[in-house]
Protein backbone atom coordinates (compact mmCIF):
# COMPACT_ATOMS: atom_id res chain seq x y z
CA UNK A 1 0.00 0.00 0.00
CA UNK A 2 1.39 3.35 -1.05
CA UNK A 3 -0.15 6.60 0.16
CA UNK A 4 -0.14 9.04 -2.76
CA UNK A 5 -1.46 12.22 -1.14
CA UNK A 6 -2.29 13.26 2.41
CA UNK A 7 -3.78 16.38 3.95
CA UNK A 8 -4.78 17.32 7.47
CA UNK A 9 -8.42 18.19 7.98
CA UNK A 10 -10.29 20.14 10.64
CA UNK A 11 -13.49 19.50 12.53
CA UNK A 12 -15.49 22.52 11.33
CA UNK A 13 -17.30 23.06 14.61
CA UNK A 14 -14.08 23.64 16.56
CA UNK A 15 -11.71 24.47 13.71
CA UNK A 16 -9.22 22.01 15.21
CA UNK A 17 -7.20 19.59 13.11
CA UNK A 18 -8.53 16.11 13.91
CA UNK A 19 -7.40 13.82 11.13
CA UNK A 20 -5.70 13.12 7.83
CA UNK A 21 -7.43 12.66 4.49
CA UNK A 22 -5.43 10.54 2.08
CA UNK A 23 -5.50 8.78 -1.25
CA UNK A 24 -3.88 5.57 -2.44
CA UNK A 25 -3.61 4.04 -5.89
CA UNK A 26 -7.23 2.95 -5.53
CA UNK A 27 -9.16 5.45 -7.60
CA UNK A 28 -12.58 6.89 -6.86
CA UNK A 29 -12.47 6.59 -3.09
CA UNK A 30 -11.67 8.93 -0.20
CA UNK A 31 -10.09 7.90 3.11
CA UNK A 32 -9.91 9.63 6.47
CA UNK A 33 -8.18 8.60 9.67
CA UNK A 34 -8.06 10.32 13.04
CA UNK A 35 -4.83 11.73 14.41
CA UNK A 36 -2.93 9.45 16.75
CA UNK A 37 -4.49 6.28 15.37
CA UNK A 38 -1.22 4.61 16.28
CA UNK A 39 -2.47 1.04 15.74
CA UNK A 40 -4.06 1.77 12.37
CA UNK A 41 -2.21 0.33 9.37
CA UNK A 42 -2.91 3.37 7.17
CA UNK A 43 -1.84 5.84 9.85
CA UNK A 44 1.35 3.84 10.39
CA UNK A 45 2.00 3.81 6.64
CA UNK A 46 1.53 7.58 6.46
CA UNK A 47 4.00 8.06 9.31
CA UNK A 48 6.47 5.67 7.66
CA UNK A 49 6.33 7.45 4.32
CA UNK A 50 6.71 10.84 6.01
CA UNK A 51 9.76 9.53 7.87
CA UNK A 52 11.13 8.08 4.63
CA UNK A 53 10.65 11.42 2.92
CA UNK A 54 8.28 10.02 0.30
CA UNK A 55 5.16 11.81 1.56
CA UNK A 56 4.35 15.27 2.84
CA UNK A 57 1.12 15.90 4.67
CA UNK A 58 -0.44 19.09 3.36
CA UNK A 59 -1.86 21.67 5.76
CA UNK A 60 -5.57 21.74 6.39
CA UNK A 61 -7.73 24.02 4.27
CA UNK B 1 -14.10 -49.60 27.41
CA UNK B 2 -14.36 -49.52 31.18
CA UNK B 3 -15.72 -46.47 32.99
CA UNK B 4 -12.25 -45.73 34.34
CA UNK B 5 -10.75 -45.94 30.85
CA UNK B 6 -13.47 -43.66 29.44
CA UNK B 7 -12.77 -41.06 32.11
CA UNK B 8 -9.03 -41.30 31.46
CA UNK B 9 -9.63 -40.77 27.75
CA UNK B 10 -11.86 -37.77 28.43
CA UNK B 11 -9.17 -36.29 30.62
CA UNK B 12 -6.59 -36.79 27.91
CA UNK B 13 -8.74 -35.03 25.34
CA UNK B 14 -9.54 -32.17 27.69
CA UNK B 15 -5.87 -31.75 28.49
CA UNK B 16 -5.21 -31.34 24.79
CA UNK B 17 -7.54 -28.34 24.91
CA UNK B 18 -9.19 -29.60 21.75
CA UNK B 19 -12.83 -29.88 22.73
CA UNK B 20 -13.14 -27.05 25.18
CA UNK B 21 -14.71 -23.94 23.71
CA UNK B 22 -13.76 -22.52 20.36
CA UNK B 23 -10.99 -24.51 18.72
CA UNK B 24 -10.27 -22.74 15.46
CA UNK B 25 -8.00 -19.72 15.84
CA UNK B 26 -8.51 -18.78 12.19
CA UNK B 27 -11.27 -16.28 11.49
CA UNK B 28 -13.25 -16.93 8.32
CA UNK B 29 -11.43 -20.17 7.58
CA UNK B 30 -14.44 -21.34 5.58
CA UNK B 31 -14.24 -18.16 3.45
CA UNK B 32 -17.91 -17.40 4.12
CA UNK B 33 -17.49 -13.67 4.66
CA UNK B 34 -16.40 -11.45 1.80
CA UNK B 35 -17.44 -7.90 2.62
CA UNK B 36 -15.16 -6.02 0.23
CA UNK B 37 -15.89 -7.92 -2.97
CA UNK B 38 -16.83 -11.39 -4.12
CA UNK B 39 -15.61 -11.17 -7.72
CA UNK B 40 -11.99 -11.17 -8.86
CA UNK B 41 -10.10 -8.25 -7.33
CA UNK B 42 -6.40 -7.52 -7.32
CA UNK B 43 -4.92 -8.53 -3.98
CA UNK B 44 -1.57 -6.77 -4.17
CA UNK B 45 -0.73 -6.21 -0.51
CA UNK B 46 -4.38 -5.68 0.25
CA UNK B 47 -7.44 -7.22 1.77
CA UNK B 48 -9.52 -7.30 -1.37
CA UNK B 49 -11.97 -10.16 -1.25
CA UNK B 50 -12.66 -12.73 1.51
CA UNK B 51 -12.23 -11.21 4.95
CA UNK B 52 -9.07 -11.74 6.99
CA UNK B 53 -7.02 -13.13 4.06
CA UNK B 54 -4.67 -10.59 2.53
CA UNK B 55 -2.46 -10.59 -0.53
CA UNK B 56 1.25 -10.26 0.25
CA UNK B 57 3.62 -9.74 -2.63
CA UNK B 58 6.71 -8.05 -3.95
CA UNK B 59 7.73 -8.30 -7.60
CA UNK B 60 6.42 -7.76 -11.10
CA UNK B 61 3.67 -10.34 -10.89
CA UNK B 62 0.17 -10.00 -9.49
CA UNK B 63 -2.81 -12.10 -8.60
CA UNK B 64 -6.48 -11.57 -7.97
CA UNK B 65 -8.68 -13.10 -5.32
CA UNK B 66 -12.35 -13.91 -5.36
CA UNK B 67 -14.88 -15.70 -3.21
CA UNK B 68 -15.49 -18.92 -5.10
CA UNK B 69 -18.83 -20.71 -4.76
CA UNK B 70 -18.27 -24.43 -4.52
CA UNK B 71 -19.93 -27.05 -6.70
CA UNK B 72 -21.81 -29.93 -5.14
CA UNK B 73 -18.76 -32.09 -5.74
CA UNK B 74 -16.50 -29.52 -4.03
CA UNK B 75 -18.85 -29.38 -1.05
CA UNK B 76 -18.99 -33.16 -0.80
CA UNK B 77 -15.20 -33.28 -0.63
CA UNK B 78 -14.44 -30.30 1.59
CA UNK B 79 -17.61 -29.66 3.57
CA UNK B 80 -17.30 -25.99 2.61
CA UNK B 81 -19.57 -23.82 0.46
CA UNK B 82 -16.97 -21.14 -0.28
CA UNK B 83 -13.27 -20.92 -1.03
CA UNK B 84 -10.71 -18.25 -1.73
CA UNK B 85 -9.77 -18.50 -5.40
CA UNK B 86 -6.44 -16.94 -6.36
CA UNK B 87 -5.73 -16.37 -10.04
CA UNK B 88 -2.46 -15.15 -11.53
CA UNK B 89 -3.22 -11.92 -13.41
CA UNK B 90 0.35 -10.84 -14.21
CA UNK B 91 2.99 -13.51 -14.55
CA UNK B 92 6.42 -13.48 -12.95
CA UNK B 93 8.40 -16.28 -14.54
CA UNK B 94 11.70 -15.31 -12.97
CA UNK B 95 11.42 -14.89 -9.22
CA UNK B 96 14.10 -12.42 -8.15
CA UNK B 97 15.90 -12.80 -4.85
CA UNK B 98 13.67 -10.27 -3.08
CA UNK B 99 10.38 -11.30 -4.69
CA UNK B 100 7.56 -13.06 -2.90
CA UNK B 101 3.93 -13.99 -3.50
CA UNK B 102 1.70 -15.27 -0.72
CA UNK B 103 -1.63 -15.06 1.09
CA UNK B 104 -1.41 -13.75 4.67
CA UNK B 105 -3.61 -14.26 7.72
CA UNK B 106 -2.85 -12.08 10.75
CA UNK B 107 -3.57 -12.71 14.44
CA UNK B 108 -3.84 -10.35 17.39
CA UNK B 109 -1.32 -10.90 20.15
CA UNK B 110 -3.94 -11.20 22.89
CA UNK B 111 -5.64 -14.03 21.02
CA UNK B 112 -2.52 -16.21 21.14
CA UNK B 113 -1.33 -15.95 24.73
CA UNK B 114 -2.57 -19.47 25.50
CA UNK B 115 0.15 -20.76 23.14
CA UNK B 116 2.60 -19.88 25.94
CA UNK B 117 5.30 -18.89 23.45
CA UNK B 118 8.37 -17.55 25.17
CA UNK B 119 8.22 -20.28 27.80
CA UNK B 120 9.34 -23.88 28.01
CA UNK B 121 5.66 -24.86 28.03
CA UNK B 122 4.98 -23.45 24.55
CA UNK B 123 2.22 -25.37 22.80
CA UNK B 124 2.27 -27.35 19.58
CA UNK B 125 -0.33 -26.26 17.01
CA UNK B 126 -1.91 -28.06 14.10
CA UNK B 127 -2.98 -26.36 10.88
CA UNK B 128 -5.32 -28.13 8.48
CA UNK B 129 -6.81 -26.88 5.22
CA UNK B 130 -8.13 -27.91 1.84
CA UNK B 131 -6.21 -26.76 -1.21
CA UNK B 132 -6.52 -27.22 -4.96
CA UNK B 133 -4.47 -25.91 -7.87
CA UNK B 134 -3.81 -26.55 -11.52
CA UNK B 135 -0.12 -26.21 -10.70
CA UNK B 136 1.32 -29.10 -8.74
CA UNK B 137 4.52 -28.95 -6.73
CA UNK B 138 5.86 -27.57 -3.48
CA UNK B 139 4.22 -24.62 -1.75
CA UNK B 140 5.03 -23.08 1.60
CA UNK B 141 3.31 -22.45 4.87
CA UNK B 142 5.17 -19.87 6.93
CA UNK B 143 4.55 -19.08 10.59
CA UNK B 144 5.73 -15.58 11.46
CA UNK B 145 6.11 -14.79 15.16
CA UNK B 146 6.12 -11.01 15.06
CA UNK B 147 8.95 -9.28 16.92
CA UNK B 148 6.96 -6.85 19.09
CA UNK B 149 10.06 -5.59 20.83
CA UNK B 150 11.69 -9.02 20.89
CA UNK B 151 12.78 -10.98 17.82
CA UNK B 152 10.87 -12.03 14.74
CA UNK B 153 11.06 -15.80 14.25
CA UNK B 154 9.89 -17.65 11.18
CA UNK B 155 9.04 -21.26 10.53
CA UNK B 156 8.79 -22.40 6.89
CA UNK B 157 7.05 -25.67 6.12
CA UNK B 158 6.77 -27.17 2.67
CA UNK B 159 3.55 -28.77 1.53
CA UNK B 160 2.95 -30.46 -1.79
CA UNK B 161 0.03 -30.32 -4.16
CA UNK B 162 0.27 -33.71 -5.77
CA UNK B 163 -2.61 -33.86 -8.25
CA UNK B 164 -3.72 -31.01 -10.47
CA UNK B 165 -7.24 -29.66 -10.03
CA UNK B 166 -7.97 -31.99 -7.14
CA UNK B 167 -8.91 -31.00 -3.59
CA UNK B 168 -6.30 -32.21 -1.14
CA UNK B 169 -6.44 -31.89 2.64
CA UNK B 170 -3.18 -30.83 4.23
CA UNK B 171 -2.28 -31.14 7.89
CA UNK B 172 0.84 -29.49 9.27
CA UNK B 173 2.16 -29.71 12.81
CA UNK B 174 3.75 -26.56 14.17
CA UNK B 175 6.11 -27.44 16.97
CA UNK B 176 7.61 -24.68 19.11
CA UNK B 177 10.88 -26.60 18.97
CA UNK B 178 10.83 -27.45 15.25
CA UNK B 179 14.35 -28.09 14.00
CA UNK B 180 15.39 -28.70 17.62
CA UNK B 181 15.58 -24.97 18.17
CA UNK B 182 14.81 -23.12 21.39
CA UNK B 183 13.98 -19.79 19.77
CA UNK B 184 10.28 -19.99 20.63
CA UNK B 185 10.70 -21.51 24.08
CA UNK B 186 13.25 -18.85 25.00
CA UNK B 187 12.21 -15.48 26.34
CA UNK B 188 12.47 -13.75 22.94
CA UNK B 189 9.87 -16.14 21.57
CA UNK B 190 7.09 -14.40 23.48
CA UNK B 191 4.13 -13.15 21.48
CA UNK B 192 3.42 -9.54 22.30
CA UNK B 193 0.12 -9.02 24.04
CA UNK B 194 -2.48 -6.41 23.28
CA UNK B 195 -4.54 -5.80 20.20
CA UNK B 196 -1.57 -5.46 17.89
CA UNK B 197 -0.10 -7.88 15.40
CA UNK B 198 1.17 -11.01 17.18
CA UNK B 199 1.58 -13.60 14.46
CA UNK B 200 1.01 -14.19 10.76
CA UNK B 201 0.53 -17.30 8.68
CA UNK B 202 1.47 -17.21 4.99
CA UNK B 203 0.38 -19.57 2.27
CA UNK B 204 3.27 -18.99 -0.13
CA UNK B 205 3.40 -19.49 -3.89
CA UNK B 206 6.96 -18.27 -4.37
CA UNK B 207 9.73 -16.75 -2.24
CA UNK B 208 13.02 -15.44 -3.61
CA UNK B 209 16.35 -16.70 -2.37
CA UNK B 210 16.63 -13.85 0.15
CA UNK B 211 14.06 -15.66 2.28
CA UNK B 212 15.24 -19.26 2.10
CA UNK B 213 16.00 -21.36 5.15
CA UNK B 214 15.65 -24.93 6.34
CA UNK B 215 12.35 -26.75 6.10
CA UNK B 216 10.46 -27.04 9.40
CA UNK B 217 13.12 -25.20 11.37
CA UNK B 218 12.58 -21.95 13.27
CA UNK B 219 14.90 -19.18 12.16
CA UNK B 220 15.17 -15.51 11.32
CA UNK B 221 14.40 -14.20 7.85
CA UNK B 222 13.43 -17.69 6.66
CA UNK B 223 10.03 -17.63 5.04
CA UNK B 224 10.56 -20.58 2.71
CA UNK B 225 13.04 -23.18 1.56
CA UNK B 226 15.05 -23.70 -1.59
CA UNK B 227 12.64 -26.38 -2.79
CA UNK B 228 12.18 -26.38 -6.55
CA UNK B 229 9.84 -23.60 -7.56
CA UNK B 230 6.32 -24.75 -8.32
CA UNK B 231 6.00 -22.29 -11.20
CA UNK B 232 2.60 -21.09 -10.05
CA UNK B 233 3.37 -17.43 -10.72
CA UNK B 234 4.87 -18.07 -14.14
CA UNK B 235 1.64 -18.28 -16.13
CA UNK B 236 -1.36 -15.97 -16.26
CA UNK B 237 -4.51 -17.87 -15.38
CA UNK B 238 -2.99 -20.33 -12.93
CA UNK B 239 -5.42 -20.98 -10.09
CA UNK B 240 -5.09 -21.79 -6.40
CA UNK B 241 -8.06 -22.52 -4.13
CA UNK B 242 -8.00 -22.50 -0.33
CA UNK B 243 -10.70 -23.28 2.23
CA UNK B 244 -11.44 -25.07 5.49
CA UNK B 245 -8.46 -23.44 7.19
CA UNK B 246 -8.22 -24.42 10.84
CA UNK B 247 -5.49 -23.73 13.38
CA UNK B 248 -5.80 -25.37 16.76
CA UNK B 249 -3.75 -26.08 19.83
CA UNK B 250 -2.60 -29.68 20.00
CA UNK B 251 -1.09 -32.31 17.78
CA UNK B 252 -4.26 -33.58 16.15
CA UNK B 253 -6.30 -32.01 13.36
CA UNK B 254 -9.89 -32.27 14.51
CA UNK B 255 -12.84 -31.83 12.13
CA UNK B 256 -13.39 -28.28 10.90
CA UNK B 257 -15.24 -26.16 13.44
CA UNK B 258 -18.15 -24.77 11.46
CA UNK B 259 -19.39 -21.44 12.75
CA UNK B 260 -22.57 -19.78 11.55
CA UNK B 261 -22.30 -16.94 9.03
CA UNK B 262 -23.46 -14.55 11.75
CA UNK B 263 -20.74 -15.62 14.15
CA UNK B 264 -18.06 -15.43 11.50
CA UNK B 265 -19.27 -12.02 10.29
CA UNK B 266 -19.21 -10.69 13.84
CA UNK B 267 -15.61 -11.85 14.24
CA UNK B 268 -14.67 -10.20 10.94
CA UNK B 269 -16.44 -6.97 11.92
CA UNK B 270 -13.86 -6.39 14.63
CA UNK B 271 -11.44 -5.66 11.77
CA UNK B 272 -13.62 -4.37 8.96
CA UNK B 273 -17.22 -3.46 8.31
CA UNK B 274 -18.85 -2.08 5.23
CA UNK B 275 -22.26 -0.42 4.97
CA UNK B 276 -23.53 -0.56 1.37
CA UNK B 277 -26.60 1.17 -0.01
CA UNK B 278 -28.94 -1.11 -1.89
CA UNK B 279 -30.56 1.82 -3.67
CA UNK B 280 -30.64 5.61 -3.87
CA UNK B 281 -31.70 7.42 -0.66
CA UNK B 282 -30.64 4.65 1.68
CA UNK B 283 -29.67 6.25 5.00
CA UNK B 284 -26.43 5.38 6.72
CA UNK B 285 -27.12 7.63 9.68
CA UNK B 286 -28.94 10.82 10.69
CA UNK B 287 -27.15 14.02 11.58
CA UNK B 288 -27.74 17.43 13.14
CA UNK B 289 -26.79 20.49 11.16
CA UNK B 290 -25.31 23.25 13.26
CA UNK B 291 -25.13 25.59 10.30
CA UNK B 292 -26.28 25.66 6.70
CA UNK B 293 -23.04 24.03 5.62
CA UNK B 294 -21.87 21.76 8.44
CA UNK B 295 -23.20 19.06 10.71
CA UNK B 296 -22.36 15.91 12.61
CA UNK B 297 -23.78 12.43 12.85
CA UNK B 298 -22.88 9.26 14.74
CA UNK B 299 -22.19 5.98 13.00
CA UNK B 300 -22.21 2.81 15.10
CA UNK B 301 -20.47 -0.37 14.01
CA UNK B 302 -21.88 -3.87 14.56
CA UNK B 303 -18.97 -4.80 16.83
CA UNK B 304 -16.38 -2.83 18.76
CA UNK B 305 -13.43 -2.44 16.42
CA UNK B 306 -9.90 -3.56 17.17
CA UNK B 307 -8.47 -0.04 16.91
CA UNK B 308 -9.30 3.38 15.52
CA UNK B 309 -10.35 2.66 11.94
CA UNK B 310 -9.85 4.29 8.59
CA UNK B 311 -13.09 5.45 7.01
CA UNK B 312 -13.43 5.00 3.26
CA UNK B 313 -16.21 6.21 0.98
CA UNK B 314 -16.57 6.63 -2.74
CA UNK B 315 -15.86 10.20 -3.85
CA UNK B 316 -18.19 12.07 -1.54
CA UNK B 317 -19.32 14.72 -3.99
CA UNK B 318 -22.04 13.23 -6.14
CA UNK B 319 -22.48 10.04 -4.16
CA UNK B 320 -24.22 11.40 -1.07
CA UNK B 321 -27.36 13.54 -0.93
CA UNK B 322 -27.69 16.98 0.74
CA UNK B 323 -24.97 18.07 -1.69
CA UNK B 324 -22.37 16.50 0.56
CA UNK B 325 -18.93 17.72 -0.42
CA UNK B 326 -17.02 16.21 2.51
CA UNK B 327 -17.59 13.38 4.93
CA UNK B 328 -14.82 12.59 7.41
CA UNK B 329 -14.22 10.86 10.71
CA UNK B 330 -14.09 13.54 13.37
CA UNK B 331 -13.91 11.60 16.63
CA UNK B 332 -14.75 8.36 18.36
CA UNK B 333 -17.42 8.41 21.01
CA UNK B 334 -16.56 5.44 23.19
CA UNK B 335 -13.55 3.55 24.48
CA UNK B 336 -14.61 0.43 22.61
CA UNK B 337 -14.25 2.01 19.16
CA UNK B 338 -17.85 1.30 18.25
CA UNK B 339 -19.35 4.80 17.85
CA UNK B 340 -17.82 7.39 15.57
CA UNK B 341 -18.73 10.98 14.84
CA UNK B 342 -18.79 11.90 11.18
CA UNK B 343 -18.43 15.49 10.09
CA UNK B 344 -20.47 16.48 7.05
CA UNK B 345 -20.13 19.46 4.77
CA UNK B 346 -23.06 20.08 2.47
CA UNK B 347 -26.27 22.04 2.12
CA UNK B 348 -28.47 21.85 5.22
CA UNK B 349 -31.17 23.69 7.13
CA UNK B 350 -29.37 25.18 10.13
CA UNK B 351 -30.32 23.43 13.36
CA UNK B 352 -32.25 20.85 11.39
CA UNK B 353 -31.72 17.19 10.77
CA UNK B 354 -30.18 15.67 7.69
CA UNK B 355 -29.32 12.20 6.48
CA UNK B 356 -25.99 10.79 5.48
CA UNK B 357 -27.67 9.20 2.56
CA UNK B 358 -26.63 7.46 -0.66
CA UNK B 359 -27.42 9.22 -3.89
CA UNK B 360 -27.22 5.90 -5.76
CA UNK B 361 -27.00 2.18 -5.18
CA UNK B 362 -23.70 0.62 -4.17
CA UNK B 363 -22.53 3.70 -2.29
CA UNK B 364 -20.69 2.60 0.83
CA UNK B 365 -19.04 3.64 4.04
CA UNK B 366 -16.39 1.23 5.26
CA UNK B 367 -14.38 1.21 8.47
CA UNK B 368 -11.07 -0.61 8.46
CA UNK B 369 -9.16 -1.57 11.61
CA UNK B 370 -7.22 -4.46 10.10
CA UNK B 371 -3.90 -5.54 11.49
Amino acid sequence: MIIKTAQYYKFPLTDEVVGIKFTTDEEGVEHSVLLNSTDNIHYKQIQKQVADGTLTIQDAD
Amino acid sequence: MSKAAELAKMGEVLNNSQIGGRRNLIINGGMQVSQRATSATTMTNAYATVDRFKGFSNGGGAFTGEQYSMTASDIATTGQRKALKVLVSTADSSIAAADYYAIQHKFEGDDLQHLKYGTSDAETMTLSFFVKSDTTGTYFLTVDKIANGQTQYLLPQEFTISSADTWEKKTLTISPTAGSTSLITGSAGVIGGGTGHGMSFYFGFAWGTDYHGTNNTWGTGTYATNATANGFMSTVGNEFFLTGVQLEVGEVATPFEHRSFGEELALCNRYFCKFISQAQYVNFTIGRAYSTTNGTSVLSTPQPMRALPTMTTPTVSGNFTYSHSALTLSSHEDALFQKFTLASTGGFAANGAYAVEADAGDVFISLDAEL
Side-chain angles (χ1 to χ4, degrees):
Chain A
M1 170 184 50
I2 302 295
I3 309 294
K4 292 174 70 174
T5 65
Q7 182 181 23
Y8 291 110
Y9 63 85
K10 295 178 178 177
F11 181 36
L13 189 59
T14 61
D15 206 35
E16 291 178 2
V17 172
V18 294
I20 302 171
K21 296 187 289 187
F22 64 92
T23 61
T24 65
D25 51 7
E26 184 182 5
E27 295 180 356
V29 294
E30 298 179 5
H31 309 278
S32 60
V33 64
L34 294 172
L35 294 181
N36 301 317
S37 297
T38 51
D39 202 12
N40 175 294
I41 54 174
H42 300 109
Y43 188 82
K44 286 195 276 193
Q45 179 66 19
I46 290 169
Q47 301 307 312
K48 178 180 183 299
Q49 287 185 222
V50 168
D52 291 345
T54 60
L55 179 71
T56 300
I57 307 173
Q58 304 298 318
D59 290 338
D61 290 330
Chain B
M1 186 182 287
S2 69
K3 200 69 174 176
E6 280 183 21
L7 288 170
K9 185 68 179 172
M10 284 175 64
E12 179 186 322
V13 172
L14 286 168
N15 280 337
N16 283 341
S17 302
Q18 289 189 286
I19 65 170
R22 182 162 281 160
R23 284 175 289 120
N24 193 358
L25 297 174
I26 300 285
I27 296 174
N28 203 28
M31 314 296 175
Q32 297 181 79
V33 181
S34 193
Q35 295 184 83
R36 294 170 177 85
T38 54
S39 56
T41 307
T42 298
M43 290 186 77
T44 304
N45 295 311
Y47 292 95
T49 172
V50 296
D51 283 49
R52 308 297 298 124
F53 288 83
K54 179 185 180 185
F56 185 74
S57 62
N58 184 57
F63 54 83
T64 61
E66 70 177 86
Q67 187 189 42
Y68 174 75
S69 295
M70 306 284 249
T71 65
S73 172
D74 293 329
I75 295 169
T77 303
T78 66
Q80 305 292 340
R81 300 189 69 83
K82 302 290 183 183
L84 168 61
K85 175 183 175 181
V86 173
L87 186 138
V88 177
S89 53
T90 303
D92 184 349
S93 57
S94 179
I95 304 298
D99 287 357
Y100 51 80
Y101 299 94
I103 299 295
Q104 182 181 22
H105 187 92
K106 295 182 175 183
F107 301 88
E108 279 180 58
D110 268 354
D111 290 344
L112 301 176
Q113 296 306 304
H114 60 306
L115 299 178
K116 295 178 273 189
Y117 273 34
T119 79
S120 58
D121 293 321
E123 299 278 4
T124 293
M125 297 183 284
T126 299
L127 180 75
S128 55
F129 54 94
F130 277 97
V131 66
K132 181 174 84 166
S133 178
D134 49 12
T135 309
T136 59
T138 302
Y139 292 75
F140 306 96
L141 181 278
T142 310
V143 183
D144 179 356
K145 200 290 292 180
I146 303 299
N148 275 330
Q150 296 287 338
T151 308
Q152 179 193 34
Y153 293 129
L154 296 148
L155 177 72
Q157 282 205 34
E158 300 171 358
F159 67 89
T160 302
I161 295 181
S162 304
S163 302
D165 302 316
T166 305
W167 284 109
E168 298 177 20
K169 184 171 185 180
K170 304 297 175 188
T171 300
L172 302 174
T173 302
I174 299 154
S175 166
T177 55
S180 298
T181 62
S182 56
L183 299 176
I184 294 301
T185 54
S187 59
V190 70
I191 297 171
T195 55
H197 189 188
M199 183 178 279
S200 275
F201 274 48
Y202 299 90
F203 297 87
F205 311 126
W207 294 92
T209 55
D210 284 357
Y211 313 105
H212 288 180
T214 304
N215 188 42
N216 201 22
T217 299
W218 286 99
T220 55
T222 53
Y223 288 84
T225 75
N226 62 355
T228 303
N230 55 47
F232 177 75
M233 287 301 303
S234 65
T235 305
V236 170
N238 280 349
E239 298 174 339
F240 177 93
F241 298 80
L242 178 68
T243 193
V245 186
Q246 176 153 294
L247 177 68
E248 55 199 308
V249 175
E251 299 178 2
V252 177
T254 63
F256 185 79
E257 180 186 65
H258 285 277
R259 297 193 283 250
S260 70
F261 179 82
E263 287 178 284
E264 210 71 77
L265 176 61
L267 294 173
C268 293
N269 281 155
R270 175 168 173 76
Y271 305 92
F272 182 81
C273 67
K274 188 172 186 178
F275 305 91
I276 308 173
S277 67
Q278 299 301 306
Q280 190 179 31
Y281 305 132
V282 166
N283 284 350
F284 295 102
T285 183
I286 302 295
R288 181 187 73 86
Y290 51 83
S291 73
T292 56
T293 54
N294 290 292
T296 56
S297 59
V298 173
L299 185 68
S300 297
T301 56
Q303 297 291 326
M305 301 202 79
R306 182 191 65 84
L308 285 173
T310 297
M311 186 175 82
T312 301
T313 65
T315 304
V316 172
S317 182
N319 277 306
F320 292 87
T321 58
Y322 287 89
S323 301
H324 264 87
S325 59
L327 183 64
T328 51
L329 270 182
S330 67
S331 65
H332 64 96
E333 299 291 319
D334 62 341
L336 288 174
F337 305 140
Q338 192 170 16
K339 287 185 175 181
F340 303 93
T341 300
L342 310 186
S344 290
T345 302
F348 312 121
N351 300 313
Y354 68 93
V356 177
E357 183 177 74
D359 208 9
D362 285 334
V363 172
F364 66 88
I365 298 174
S366 69
L367 294 164
D368 182 341
E370 292 283 3
L371 287 160

